[in-house]
Amino acid sequence: MTEKITIAVVGSGYVGLVASVCFAEIGHRVICVDNDESKIAMLRGGEIPIFEEYLPELLERHRNTSIEFTTDLDAATQKAQAIFVAVGTPQSQTGSADLSYVDAVASQIARSITEYKVIVEKSTVPVYTNEWISRVIERNGVPRELFDVTSNPEFLREGTAVVDFLHGDRIVIGVDNERAANLLRKIYEPLTSGEYYQMADSVPGARSEADPPPLLQTSTKAAELIKHASNAFLAMKISFINVVSNICEAAGADVEEVSQGIGSDGRIGPKFLKAGIGYGGSCFPKDVAAFRYVAEQLGVDFGLLREVEKINADQKRRFFQKVRSALWTFRGKKLGILGLAFKGGTDDIRESPAIELISQFLKEGCIVSAYDPAAVERTKEVLPPSGTLSYAKDSYEAATDADALLILTDWREFTDLDLDRLRYTLRYPIVIDGRNLFDRAIMAEKGFTYLSVGRAGGVHAKDALSSRLS
Ligand code: NAD
């Protein structure tokens, strides 16, 4: 039987809440702390502030038994053996990670340490952050032998966060001594031993008793670097395929075929090779910038990451131009927009390319009717409904009488749309797909003018090719 550990998780956002619920699910006692009183009140009442598959069921299963919610970090610190810090680390003006939330939590934790605690960085932080946290805690008068600071980066993806947590590719623990390593290994033992997957009601996923996730034990600094380097690498893959998609458009090839050909190489892999309108979200943009900044501070020129960022910004501009070329003028044109979240499966709109593009269309005088299966409420907070912006209750309402339909998020439900109905709902049957969700031949057969990204036959492909040949 696995030993029950008392864990405090500070921050109840996408990472903190998922980690809290999953730690309870694998048998630990969890105190989830947030300084946002309204969030804690919601969670105590059984409501969930974010949209994630399995989260409602798991919370219901463990609420009032092995998971509690509080704003009292001092009490949580006193009770817990391990304190996971999962607060935000947003981008500062210089591009570096703003660590003020981590700093504030470290100082507050320090005030309540009277016996040995393991502090775990769950937030994505630059290398050396563990040393800063130790310094802050020591400065607050805590003897060095009463705590260890470790790193346990989180690799979950929004939209599949619970499954990713419980069925991860790997669990990384960055530790600089055995005492802390022991505790972290115990916390993850139900997963690494395979015990969790034997349970009748365990969340299904890729891992099993016979194939549990491996635990990688590294130095704290290496663990911090693993997270930044992983995200920078994935962002690089996306930017790479986006440039390839632009070459495909100019050359008259289909990026989907090219991507399949590249991704079938086991050394490269098919994931994150999907051409589109650029990456967004709360992680990639800020983590690429932060990693570039860290490199700079350490005297290393990581110009590659500057290029990754530039390509990502260009990709949104190209899509904007594609819409302009299809519609000629913008003022007074009605756009139906499908997708607001930065990717399908989540309600997160942070750094979403869709939000940026909609703002630009509105500035150009377009009339926008937008729909997203999960992110409408969050979007209303940053783009309130107005005379020129409304939110539809479904895709067909968004498309009604529109001069064109734009697809900006890769929600699976968009691929199930009734194309005949859509065709007659639109004023003009123009679909501009920033996520390559549809088969071009089917769209043509259904009578659409269908433009997508990096696939021959779009206006850009023809234009670019004919201008080169003339
Ligand atoms: P989030 O903004 O959703 O949640 C952060 C939470 O911390 C908020 O609820 C906030 O109220 C709380 N908080 C801030 N200061 C606090 C304090 N002093 N005491 C208690 N609570 C406090 O952020 P997130 O998306 O969960 O990300 C958290 C960290 O995890 C970031 O470093 C992020 O880069 C990293 N990360 C995020 C993801 C992801 O997909 N979102 C994946 C892996 C890693």
Side-chain angles (χ1 to χ4, degrees):
M1 244 337 248
T2 317
E3 191 182 327
K4 236 185 206 314
I5 311 285
T6 302
I7 296 170
V9 178
V10 191
S12 67
Y14 287 87
V15 168
L17 183 57
V18 170
S20 297
V21 167
C22 290
F23 283 140
E25 169 73 0
I26 62 174
H28 301 301
R29 261 184 307 267
V30 182
I31 310 162
C32 181
V33 187
D34 207 291
N35 60 358
D36 181 336
E37 289 182 9
S38 60
K39 248 187 197 179
I40 292 299
M42 258 180 109
L43 288 162
R44 278 189 178 149
E47 279 180 79
I48 300 188
I50 57 170
F51 177 86
E52 275 299 335
E53 206 184 4
Y54 292 113
L55 209 48
E57 297 92 306
L58 294 196
L59 184 60
E60 208 38 52
R61 195 180 284 175
H62 301 293
R63 199 163 60 93
N64 302 330
T65 51
S66 41
I67 183 164
E68 62 178 282
F69 297 98
T70 179
T71 53
D72 189 348
L73 179 55
D74 297 331
T77 303
Q78 279 162 20
K79 284 188 223 159
Q81 294 158 271
I83 301 142
F84 284 72
V85 181
V87 295
T89 49
Q91 187 173 332
S92 73
Q93 276 183 346
T94 58
S96 65
D98 173 355
L99 296 171
S100 53
Y101 299 106
V102 176
D103 185 356
V105 169
S107 311
Q108 205 185 333
I109 288 173
R111 291 204 293 269
S112 311
I113 297 181
T114 50
E115 57 183 344
Y116 179 72
K117 307 285 173 190
V118 173
I119 291 120
V120 192
E121 302 165 348
K122 196 70 168 153
S123 301
T124 301
V125 292
V127 66
Y128 287 119
T129 302
N130 69 92
E131 290 183 359
W132 272 107
I133 295 177
S134 298
R135 223 171 285 169
V136 167
I137 295 176
E138 274 190 286
R139 270 186 202 155
N140 279 278
V142 182
R144 194 63 194 81
E145 64 277 10
L146 279 197
F147 72 95
D148 277 309
V149 180
T150 63
S151 165
N152 170 224
E154 184 48 61
F155 300 102
L156 64 77
R157 296 160 299 172
E158 288 176 22
T160 50
V162 169
V163 174
D164 289 345
F165 192 99
L166 296 169
H167 294 265
D169 289 338
R170 76 298 206 192
I171 294 162
V172 174
I173 58 167
V175 281
D176 296 322
N177 70 49
E178 257 318 286
R179 188 176 184 189
N182 246 328
L183 187 70
L184 282 177
R185 278 198 297 263
K186 268 189 209 155
I187 289 175
Y188 282 106
E189 201 176 297
L191 298 178
T192 55
S193 67
E195 187 190 314
Y196 172 69
Y197 310 105
Q198 287 173 272
M199 285 167 43
D201 53 358
S202 67
V203 172
R207 292 290 174 191
S208 63
E209 190 194 352
D211 183 26
L215 184 128
L216 254 75
Q217 184 173 326
T218 68
S219 70
T220 315
K221 283 180 191 159
E224 290 167 333
L225 282 169
I226 286 169
K227 178 62 194 177
H228 261 164
S230 299
N231 274 2
F233 191 86
L234 293 172
M236 179 185 75
K237 260 184 118 175
I238 295 173
S239 280
F240 186 89
I241 199 64
N242 279 336
V243 178
V244 172
S245 79
N246 300 336
I247 295 173
C248 286
E249 279 190 12
D254 185 335
V255 71
E256 297 297 320
E257 291 177 2
V258 175
S259 166
Q260 194 186 359
I262 307 171
S264 310
D265 186 325
R267 293 167 302 177
I268 298 172
K271 292 183 181 161
F272 288 78
L273 279 183
K274 192 106 185 71
I277 50 175
Y279 60 78
S282 67
C283 291
F284 285 1
K286 80 169 173 65
D287 290 347
V288 171
F291 198 34
R292 182 168 50 71
Y293 186 86
V294 165
E296 231 167 77
Q297 296 295 299
L298 295 173
V300 178
D301 180 10
F302 210 157
L304 176 64
L305 295 186
R306 264 194 299 279
E307 201 54 35
V308 167
E309 291 171 317
K310 179 179 167 297
I311 294 164
N312 199 53
D314 285 349
Q315 200 64 9
K316 279 175 274 191
R317 276 195 286 274
R318 281 183 70 95
F319 185 78
F320 184 79
Q321 287 308 335
K322 188 171 288 183
V323 180
R324 194 195 285 282
S325 331
L327 296 180
W328 186 28
T329 61
F330 275 137
R331 187 153 301 281
K333 292 272 165 72
K334 187 176 173 207
L335 301 180
I337 300 238
L338 300 189
L340 299 164
F342 82 94
K343 65 171 184 174
T346 178
D347 61 346
D348 197 344
I349 56 158
R350 291 179 284 185
E351 302 288 326
S352 171
I355 304 299
E356 196 180 319
L357 283 164
I358 291 171
S359 308
Q360 284 173 19
F361 293 132
L362 290 172
K363 255 192 220 141
E364 294 281 341
C366 291
I367 299 156
V368 171
S369 175
Y371 168 69
D372 186 285
V376 167
E377 290 313 310
R378 280 187 197 274
T379 307
K380 280 182 182 169
E381 288 167 21
V382 292
L383 292 175
S386 65
T388 50
L389 172 64
S390 60
Y391 293 95
K393 68 171 187 323
D394 62 29
S395 299
Y396 303 105
E397 189 181 302
T400 303
D401 288 332
D403 291 283
L405 185 71
L406 274 47
I407 300 170
L408 304 184
T409 306
D410 56 347
W411 277 98
R412 194 185 298 256
E413 75 164 61
F414 297 155
T415 60
D416 296 331
L417 286 173
D418 175 343
L419 294 176
D420 293 317
R421 182 173 168 198
L422 197 63
R423 161 91 176 72
Y424 291 103
T425 305
L426 285 160
R427 178 179 301 156
Y428 298 107
I430 301 172
V431 173
I432 310 174
D433 181 358
R435 301 294 183 175
N436 289 358
L437 296 189
F438 293 100
D439 185 300
R440 287 183 307 130
I442 294 176
M443 292 303 273
E445 191 188 302
K446 295 280 179 190
F448 288 100
T449 297
Y450 178 65
L451 308 174
S452 51
V453 179
R455 296 197 285 179
V459 281
H460 271 252
K462 279 195 204 129
D463 288 350
L465 202 61
S466 52
S467 66
R468 256 194 22 216
L469 295 178
S470 60

